[in-house]
Amino acid sequence: MNLTNLSRYLSLILRHKPEAIDITLDEHGWANVHDLIDGIAKNNPGFDMDVLEEIVRTDNKQRYSFNPGKTLIRANQDIPFRLTWNYPEMEPPE
């Protein structure tokens, strides 16, 4: 199992094409880890949580983040523009 190729594939899924493995991202770019693993493992037998954690841990550009419970994952960079950030609307200072 080539971790570099898997990392590139993971990046493609989380940044541009979640539909490639039939998953969806929430409005903040988070994907369900279980669904992600199941989707990638269909074409990459042996892909599991241990492999995913190794990719996240060893990525020299720190491309990915887990939520605290490791139930969600997202790309840290180049999040698609379709995401909304839910910042409160504010008046600019004078």
Side-chain angles (χ1 to χ4, degrees):
M1 188 172 304
N2 183 319
L3 291 182
T4 300
N5 288 343
L6 284 171
S7 181
R8 289 178 183 154
Y9 187 49
L10 180 61
S11 180
L12 173 73
I13 291 165
L14 293 177
R15 292 171 58 202
H16 305 291
K17 289 189 167 189
E19 67 275 4
I21 60 168
D22 295 322
I23 67 168
T24 57
L25 305 180
D26 74 8
E27 66 273 9
H28 302 289
W30 292 101
N32 178 286
V33 168
H34 178 74
D35 295 343
L36 178 81
I37 291 170
D38 287 349
I40 293 175
K42 287 178 185 175
N43 295 318
N44 298 278
F47 186 84
D48 59 14
M49 185 62 171
D50 291 335
V51 175
L52 181 59
E53 286 179 322
E54 184 174 350
I55 290 170
V56 172
R57 182 179 60 252
T58 61
D59 187 86
N60 61 346
K61 293 185 180 179
Q62 298 179 335
R63 289 179 182 94
Y64 318 106
S65 294
F66 285 114
N67 71 336
K70 292 188 178 179
T71 58
L72 301 172
I73 187 171
R74 72 175 176 184
N76 290 328
Q77 301 170 349
D78 297 328
I79 297 172
F81 66 89
R82 68 180 181 270
L83 303 177
T84 58
W85 294 107
N86 296 328
Y87 290 116
E89 194 171 318
M90 299 177 68
E91 292 292 324
E94 290 185 28

